């Protein structure tokens, strides 16, 4: 029984011209900012791919070497290495990042702790707030170091091998890209392999709960979601799908591990899985493979025979990731039959630590590696759900971050944790949205967590095994339930935007979620506002992670706005950038900001309950007026690994302010993956008066409907073939309109839990002169959060002239 094989995209052996070596050391100049530093007392150097570094044959960059009695110096455009050619030591080996990154901190010496902006962590299990992060590839000082000395090696026959145990051997990768954090990440992907393209359905809502569902209950639950127009594309069945403790005799051990359907709950698994597929869902089952295969399992006889053992002995088959024959049987016997029933992918909920029978072999990494490769069998797009197993784990999405505590502290840490993972290339974290264990009922917390999930890589609701912990919106009070429902629908409307970013993450090396300093590396604020992040190519998000102020009925969110004009997609408020300020948001709103000219493709609101499997027939494009800009919409057939350009269709979208027009398409590429005709809606925020916009399809004027609502203008064109181009023209697209703050000030005062006379005085002062009213506001009774919220609205734009 063969194991799935890993086929590196490149080779482990570097180009000879990139190597500077001596008897006990080897320095490989992979790029002008990426060095491999090896030391071996025995003079043995490793060229096989490792779990981290799968491709080391780069084009040889320009560099020069100077040798002297003191040792060797190496220069590239980015780094200057000094080495005394002896055993690595702080005094003998150093690398300086060139270019004046910092005054004196941009020198790394071997053996000294490398500064880091952080990478990520193996798990958030039982986290109630921040946890330590492993290092990433970059820092404020301009460098990062990844130690690959202990990782396993990938062999030509598709298996793996531990490193030779040599005392004093070192294998490091030095990333010296200064503040070019994005380029450091591209170097990581070039070395370690890119992120894969996720199946489109993985970007929709996932339903998960640790609960002993039976088939009828699960189907009824999904019917209720459909009745309420709440879309889910992935159904998770936690461990109770298989036989658990109450069905397993004690001499076998616990029922935590299992591979046999619980027929009391699922009498006909194939029927259940077929029903899920018929309704547009994909299904994953939970695995805890720690206890191997016991004799009560349906497939025990087949596994025993595959391993040459007598099933009559009923001796358990131990789980052993270092046994190649066991791992082959594990996939071919245990999992292949379940996949034939209709299981789409696996949730690998490993529980037994980082050690195996072979030192240096982490069972979690082995499971992630082979499960991901195996999930591509039959031409499927590969996918797993599992924990992070160290650098290189970005090749095996999606990440399961673990069982977090239900608390505001847990929520407050997750935006930073998610964005910072980009520093080690890990772009697809999936959290237990809403928290998993402990804590207390808090409807507002649950709502804010779900809203963060809408703007996180993967939205997977999950709950602990407690009858009172559940994430069905109707189990919460109004208005929290309604806010949750709107969030779930919005997530599925975002799928066109998310899937375009999904392809960019794999092909261009730009993760969906990134820290602000990826685009603003020299701005001090980009490092300070840790919970604010970039979300795809067009949006910047600052999740709400604190409760509402009881008087203001708004939550305060400190943000930094880079230079330019920024529009909040929820409220329509326009802000001048180049400053720090505090935004105040009610329960329905989250600061999601788009720069002038931003273009965000969404699924049409008529299809917001669709499961998210196919490309929608209705699309709405949000366009923020104010600047010319271009964007793309990428769509595919969800087949293969997502890297074949022939399977993708691309539609270019462009706002031309000077011409006063917005252009859609035509689509190019695989038009067969698109609907035969589409309804396009172009919704413009912040434009001047769009009076009677002219619409053409392939140059022919066509009728279009125009709707004006809440400062937005929507132009809808039906029945557009995918190969046709649409142009919307209006003089109003040449100008921008700044919303009057009066309506929002009224709403703010109306909601505030303060005296009516105070509200009236403040409102009259704002109507007379908004800016002057701020000076009077304390005397009029506005203080604390209310004064801050008034300042946000009145001073959003400096010049309203």
């Amino acid at each position: 029984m063969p194991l799935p094989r890993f086929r590196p995209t490149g080779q482990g052996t570097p180009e000879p011209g990139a190597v500077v070596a001596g008897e006990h050391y080897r320095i490989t100049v992979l790029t002008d900012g990426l060095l491999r530093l090896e030391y071996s007392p025995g003079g043995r150097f490793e060229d096989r791919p490792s779990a981290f570094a799968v491709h080391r044959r780069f084009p040889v960059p320009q560099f020069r070497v100077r040798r002297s009695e003191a040792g060797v110096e190496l220069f590239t455009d980015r780094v200057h290495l000094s080495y005394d050619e002896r055993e690595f030591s702080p005094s003998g080996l150093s690398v300086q990042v060139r270019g004046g990154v910092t005054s004196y901190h941009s020198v790394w010496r071997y053996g000294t702790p490398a500064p880091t902006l952080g990478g990520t962590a193996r798990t958030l299990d039982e986290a109630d707030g921040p946890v330590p992060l492993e290092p990433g590839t970059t820092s404020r000082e301009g460098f990062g170091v990844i130690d690959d000395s202990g990782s396993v090696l990938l062999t030509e026959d598709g298996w793996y091998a531990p490193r030779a145990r040599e005392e004093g051997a070192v294998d490091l990768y030095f990333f010296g890209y200064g503040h070019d954090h994005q380029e450091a990440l591209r170097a990581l992907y070039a070395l370690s392999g890119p992120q894969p393209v996720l199946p489109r359905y993985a970007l929709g809502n996932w339903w998960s709960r640790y609960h002993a569902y039976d088939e009828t209950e699960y189907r009824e639950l999904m019917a209720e979601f459909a009745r309420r127009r709440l879309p889910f594309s992935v159904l998770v069945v936690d461990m109770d799908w298989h036989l658990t403790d109450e069905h397993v005799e004690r001499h076998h051990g616990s029922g935590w591990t299992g591979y046999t359907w619980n027929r009391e709950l699922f009498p006909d698994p194939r029927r259940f899985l077929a029903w899920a597929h018929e309704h547009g869902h994909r299904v994953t089952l939970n695995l805890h493979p720690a206890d191997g295969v016991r004799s009560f399992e349906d497939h025990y006889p087949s596994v025993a025979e595959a391993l040459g053992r007598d099933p009559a002995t009923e001796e358990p088959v131990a789980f052993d990731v270092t046994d190649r024959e066991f791992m082959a049987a594990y996939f071919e016997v245990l999992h292949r039959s379940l996949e034939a029933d209709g299981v789409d992918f696996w949730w690998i909920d490993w529980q037994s630590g980082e050690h195996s029978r072979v030192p240096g072999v982490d069972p979690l990494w082995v499971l992630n590696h082979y499960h991901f490769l195996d999930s591509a069998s039959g031409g499927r797009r590969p996918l797993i759900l599992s924990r992070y197993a160290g650098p290189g784990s970005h090749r095996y999405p999606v990440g399961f971050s673990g069982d977090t505590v239900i608390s505001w502290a847990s929520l407050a840490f997750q935006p930073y944790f998610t964005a910072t993972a980009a520093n080690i290339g890990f772009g697809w974290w999936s959290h237990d949205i809403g928290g998993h264990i402990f804590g207390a009922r808090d409807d507002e917390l649950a709502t804010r967590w779900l809203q963060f999930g809408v703007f996180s890589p993967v939205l997977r609701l999950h709950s602990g095994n407690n009858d009172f912990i559940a994430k069905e919106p109707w189990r919460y009070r109004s208005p929290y339930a309604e806010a949750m429902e709107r969030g779930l629908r919005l997530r599925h409307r975002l799928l066109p935007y998310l899937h375009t970013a999904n392809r960019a993450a794999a092909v261009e090396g730009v993760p969906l979620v990134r820290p602000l300093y990826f685009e603003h590396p020299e701005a001090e604020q980009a490092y300070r506002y840790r919970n604010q992040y970039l979300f795809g190519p067009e949006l910047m998000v600052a999740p709400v992670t604190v409760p509402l102020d009881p008087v203001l009925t708004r939550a305060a969110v400190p943000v930094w706005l880079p230079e330019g004009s920024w529009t909040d997609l929820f409220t329509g408020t326009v802000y001048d950038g180049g400053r720090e300020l505090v935004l105040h948001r009610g329960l329905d709103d989250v600061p999601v900001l788009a720069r002038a000219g931003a273009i965000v493709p969404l699924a049409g609101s008529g299809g917001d309950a669709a499961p998210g499997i196919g490309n929608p027939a209705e699309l709405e494009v949000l366009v923020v007026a104010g600047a010319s800009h271009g964007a793309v919409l990428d769509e595919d057939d969800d087949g293969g690994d997502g890297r074949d350009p022939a399977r993708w269709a691309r539609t270019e979208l462009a706002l031309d302010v000077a011409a006063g027009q917005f252009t859609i398409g035509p689509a190019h590429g695989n038009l067969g993956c698109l609907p035969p005709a589409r309804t396009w809606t172009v919704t413009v925020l912040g434009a001047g008066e769009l009076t009677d916009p002219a619409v053409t399809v392939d140059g022919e004027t066509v009728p279009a409907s125009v709707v004006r609502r809440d400062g937005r203008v929507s132009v809808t064109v039906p029945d557009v073939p995918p190969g046709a181009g649409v142009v919307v023209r209006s003089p109003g697209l040449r100008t921008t309109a700044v919303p009057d703050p009066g309506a929002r000030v009224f709403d703010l005062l109306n909601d505030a839990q303060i005296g009516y006379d105070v509200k009236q005085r403040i409102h009259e002062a704002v109507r007379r002169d908004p800016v002057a009213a701020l000076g009077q506001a304390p005397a009029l009774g506005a203080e604390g959060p209310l004064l801050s919220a008034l300042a946000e609205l009145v001073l959003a734009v400096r010049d309203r002239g």
Side-chain angles (χ1 to χ4, degrees):
M1 292 178 290
L3 276 170
R5 291 192 60 181
F6 178 73
R7 295 176 174 84
T9 56
Q11 301 178 27
T13 305
E15 292 285 355
V19 174
V20 177
E23 181 181 357
H24 298 290
Y25 73 88
R26 183 170 66 168
I27 299 169
T28 307
V29 188
L30 296 167
T31 74
D32 62 356
L34 177 57
L35 307 178
R36 186 187 187 192
L37 309 174
E38 297 172 274
Y39 184 84
S40 168
R44 297 186 295 271
F45 303 107
E46 187 59 71
D47 286 331
R48 286 175 290 180
S50 72
F52 170 63
V54 300
H55 174 54
R56 305 188 192 96
R57 178 156 289 189
F58 289 61
V60 180
Q62 288 190 345
F63 68 96
R64 60 188 177 89
V65 176
R66 182 168 63 203
R67 294 183 180 274
S68 68
E69 292 183 359
V72 60
E73 290 182 274
L74 185 152
F75 300 86
T76 75
D77 287 343
R78 292 187 185 268
V79 299
H80 170 204
L81 175 142
S82 298
Y83 175 45
D84 63 5
E85 299 186 276
R86 301 175 183 175
E87 183 178 0
F88 287 177
S89 68
S91 58
L93 174 61
S94 65
V95 187
Q96 179 178 13
V97 179
R98 305 176 71 182
V101 178
T102 67
S103 299
Y104 55 88
H105 292 297
S106 296
V107 178
W108 169 76
R109 294 185 178 277
Y110 174 80
T112 60
T116 179
L117 285 166
T120 194
R122 187 179 182 97
T123 182
L124 294 179
D125 276 347
E126 300 189 8
D128 188 9
V131 302
L133 301 182
E134 297 178 20
T137 61
T138 188
S139 65
R140 296 290 299 274
E141 290 75 9
F143 61 87
V145 178
I146 301 298
D147 189 345
D148 198 36
S149 305
S151 67
V152 299
L153 304 168
L154 307 177
T155 58
E156 287 293 329
D157 60 357
W159 192 232
Y160 64 88
R163 298 263 184 165
R165 302 182 70 181
E166 183 184 15
E167 185 75 24
V170 177
D171 188 358
L172 303 177
Y173 290 87
F174 179 89
F175 292 78
Y177 284 88
H179 288 163
D180 195 344
H181 308 299
Q182 180 61 63
E183 195 60 29
L185 180 57
R186 289 195 178 98
L188 170 70
Y189 288 144
L191 173 69
S192 193
Q195 293 190 93
V197 180
L198 268 59
R200 188 179 188 276
Y201 65 78
L203 302 171
N205 297 321
W206 298 33
W207 176 258
S208 180
R209 185 184 176 197
Y210 183 13
H211 172 74
Y213 282 110
D214 62 24
E215 178 182 357
T216 299
E217 186 181 6
Y218 215 132
R219 292 175 66 157
E220 289 176 349
L221 175 66
M222 289 301 114
E224 182 63 16
F225 278 131
R227 188 184 72 79
R228 295 172 181 263
R229 297 174 56 248
L230 300 176
F232 286 89
S233 56
V234 175
L235 309 185
V236 181
V237 188
D238 212 318
M239 60 180 292
D240 288 286
W241 72 269
H242 64 71
L243 300 177
T244 54
D245 284 346
E246 60 186 282
H247 307 96
V248 175
E249 296 179 7
R250 296 188 65 179
H251 72 274
H252 288 298
S254 80
W256 206 249
T257 295
Y259 306 95
T260 301
W261 281 97
N262 182 340
R263 301 285 175 158
E264 294 176 7
L265 300 179
F266 296 92
D268 187 341
R270 287 196 175 196
R271 179 182 65 199
F272 169 70
L273 295 167
W275 162 84
H277 292 156
E278 288 167 6
H279 288 76
H281 307 301
R282 297 294 181 262
V283 180
T284 182
L285 304 183
N286 175 274
L287 292 175
H288 291 96
D291 288 333
V293 187
R294 280 80 59 83
S295 60
F296 64 82
E297 302 281 8
D298 286 348
H299 293 287
Y300 172 79
S302 299
V303 172
E305 289 171 1
L307 297 175
R309 305 181 189 183
D310 181 3
T313 65
E314 297 190 353
E315 293 180 355
V317 176
F319 180 78
D320 186 356
V321 298
T322 67
D323 184 333
R324 186 168 184 165
E325 291 185 357
F326 169 79
M327 290 300 293
Y330 172 82
F331 287 106
E332 290 295 328
V333 179
L334 283 180
H335 293 83
R336 200 67 71 238
S337 61
L338 294 164
E339 291 161 3
D341 289 342
V343 177
D344 294 289
F345 66 101
W346 298 97
W347 172 12
I348 307 151
D349 199 357
W350 176 247
Q351 295 291 317
S352 294
E354 304 178 31
H355 303 288
S356 66
R357 287 196 305 121
V358 176
V361 174
D362 181 349
L364 176 60
W365 177 85
V366 177
L367 285 168
N368 289 355
H369 179 73
Y370 287 109
H371 263 289
F372 186 79
L373 296 178
D374 188 67
S375 70
S377 62
R380 297 178 298 172
R381 187 160 298 178
L383 183 69
I384 63 172
L385 176 65
S386 187
R387 287 173 171 82
Y388 175 80
S393 291
H394 63 268
R395 298 195 301 267
Y396 314 120
V398 166
F400 163 50
S401 68
D403 302 338
T404 48
V405 172
I406 300 171
S407 71
W408 285 99
S410 289
L411 170 59
F413 180 61
Q414 286 191 1
Y416 166 72
F417 178 82
T418 306
T420 304
N423 293 333
I424 196 64
F426 199 77
W428 295 110
W429 269 124
S430 168
H431 304 299
D432 285 359
I433 294 298
H436 181 75
I437 50 176
F438 312 135
R441 169 77 177 247
D442 187 329
D443 292 8
E444 184 185 348
L445 170 61
T447 303
R448 291 306 195 186
W449 216 321
L450 188 146
Q451 291 170 338
F452 162 62
V454 172
F455 296 98
S456 69
V458 174
L459 194 163
R460 178 179 51 83
L461 298 174
H462 191 58
S463 308
N465 190 17
N466 183 313
D467 290 342
F468 294 96
I469 304 177
K471 303 296 163 53
E472 296 95 332
W474 57 85
R475 292 187 59 168
Y476 294 83
R477 298 169 295 147
S478 181
Y480 309 102
E482 293 83 359
M484 289 180 178
E485 291 182 352
R486 285 189 288 271
L488 291 170
R489 295 187 190 111
L490 176 58
R491 176 67 185 203
H492 271 244
R493 294 199 63 206
L494 280 164
L495 279 173
Y497 179 75
L498 294 169
H499 197 41
T500 300
N502 178 23
R503 185 176 187 271
V507 176
E508 301 170 19
V510 183
L512 171 67
V513 174
R514 311 169 310 285
L516 296 180
Y517 47 75
F518 267 52
E519 288 190 5
H520 306 280
E522 303 305 330
E524 173 65 31
Q525 298 93 328
Y527 300 90
R528 197 151 29 89
Y529 285 82
R530 307 197 322 169
N531 270 22
Q532 188 179 336
Y533 54 83
L534 305 168
F535 187 73
E538 307 288 306
L539 301 177
M540 184 170 65
V541 180
V544 179
T545 61
V546 295
L548 298 169
D549 178 88
V551 174
L552 191 63
T553 72
R554 304 284 194 273
V557 185
V559 300
W560 169 63
L561 299 183
E563 291 289 344
S565 175
W566 295 87
T567 298
D568 188 304
L569 295 192
F570 280 89
T571 67
T573 307
V574 179
Y575 299 92
D576 287 336
R579 56 188 175 139
E580 301 168 67
L581 65 162
V582 178
L583 306 182
H584 303 81
R585 294 296 181 265
L587 188 68
D588 283 338
D589 301 326
V590 180
V592 177
L593 299 147
R595 198 188 294 272
I599 300 170
V600 182
L602 306 172
S605 58
D608 59 14
I613 300 301
N615 297 312
E618 297 181 18
L619 286 170
E620 179 181 14
V621 184
L622 297 183
V623 181
V624 180
S628 296
H629 180 60
V632 297
L633 169 64
D634 285 329
E635 303 168 279
D636 76 329
D637 59 11
D638 234 19
D641 64 4
R643 295 193 167 276
D644 182 358
R647 306 190 82 137
W648 287 83
R650 168 163 284 191
T651 304
E652 295 184 357
L653 310 167
L655 173 63
D656 186 335
V657 172
Q661 69 179 36
F662 183 77
T663 304
I664 301 170
H668 297 283
N670 179 22
L671 302 188
C673 73
L674 304 180
R678 269 182 162 156
T679 295
W680 287 92
T681 296
V682 178
T683 296
V684 185
L685 289 72
E689 184 64 24
L690 290 178
T691 54
D692 299 322
V695 180
T696 60
V697 176
D698 279 351
E700 298 290 329
T701 300
V702 299
S705 65
V706 180
V707 176
R708 295 173 173 84
R709 183 185 299 116
D710 299 329
R712 304 177 181 215
V713 181
S714 297
V715 180
T716 299
V717 188
D719 301 322
V720 179
V726 179
V727 178
V728 178
R729 293 185 177 89
S730 172
L733 288 172
R734 298 194 186 103
T735 60
T736 57
V738 177
D740 189 310
R744 291 207 65 210
V745 169
F746 181 89
D747 290 341
L748 173 70
L749 293 171
N750 188 54
D751 291 343
Q753 306 296 292
I754 59 174
Y756 292 115
D757 289 345
V758 174
K759 295 184 183 193
Q760 188 72 14
R761 289 195 298 270
I762 296 172
H763 189 235
E764 290 176 354
V766 170
R767 283 193 298 180
R768 288 193 301 269
D769 186 333
V771 175
L774 287 181
Q776 304 175 58
L780 297 175
E783 55 187 14
L786 177 57
L787 181 59
S788 175
L790 285 169
E792 174 205 336
L793 298 178
V794 170
L795 302 179
V797 176
R798 298 186 183 95
D799 181 8
R800 294 185 178 273

